[in-house]
Amino acid sequence: MPLVTVTAAEGERLQIRLQKRVEKASIVQTHGFDEQGNPTLVSAFGAKVTTWPDQGVDTIASESRSYTVDADNRIVVEPAA
């Protein structure tokens, strides 16, 4: 697995979000009719959707850290507020 090193320069603060890929079926809602002919909302499973929820958040200042990334794990580096 590739190892990525993130380095914050002297006096700089970075926020690193660790994310993991999650695939789940989407839910599709359509308007339809029930057995008596009354309007109703029908739910069905649709195509799989990929999301990247945060698994953890690190903040570093004037230091380096290494992270493992692959097809199912990624990092997002942003300036810390």
Side-chain angles (χ1 to χ4, degrees), residues 1-2 19-21 52 67-75:
M1 290 187 209
Q19 298 179 334
K20 182 174 179 85
R21 177 182 16 199
W52 292 89
Y67 299 92
T68 301
V69 296
D70 57 24
D72 294 323
N73 296 292
R74 70 180 184 183
I75 62 171

Side-chain angles (χ1 to χ4, degrees), residues 2 10 17 22-23 34-35 42 74 78:
E10 188 67 33
R17 294 187 291 134
V22 175
E23 288 189 3
D34 61 13
E35 295 83 21
V42 178
R74 70 180 184 183
E78 303 168 325

Side-chain angles (χ1 to χ4, degrees), residues 15-71:
Q15 181 179 24
I16 298 133
R17 294 187 291 134
L18 312 167
Q19 298 179 334
K20 182 174 179 85
R21 177 182 16 199
V22 175
E23 288 189 3
K24 57 184 177 181
S26 63
I27 297 180
V28 178
Q29 293 185 331
T30 57
H31 293 281
F33 298 94
D34 61 13
E35 295 83 21
Q36 290 80 30
N38 300 318
T40 187
L41 192 60
V42 178
S43 297
F45 290 111
K48 286 189 175 184
V49 176
T50 301
T51 61
W52 292 89
D54 289 345
Q55 298 296 308
V57 177
D58 289 341
T59 302
I60 63 172
S62 304
E63 63 179 293
S64 294
R65 288 208 189 149
S66 295
Y67 299 92
T68 301
V69 296
D70 57 24

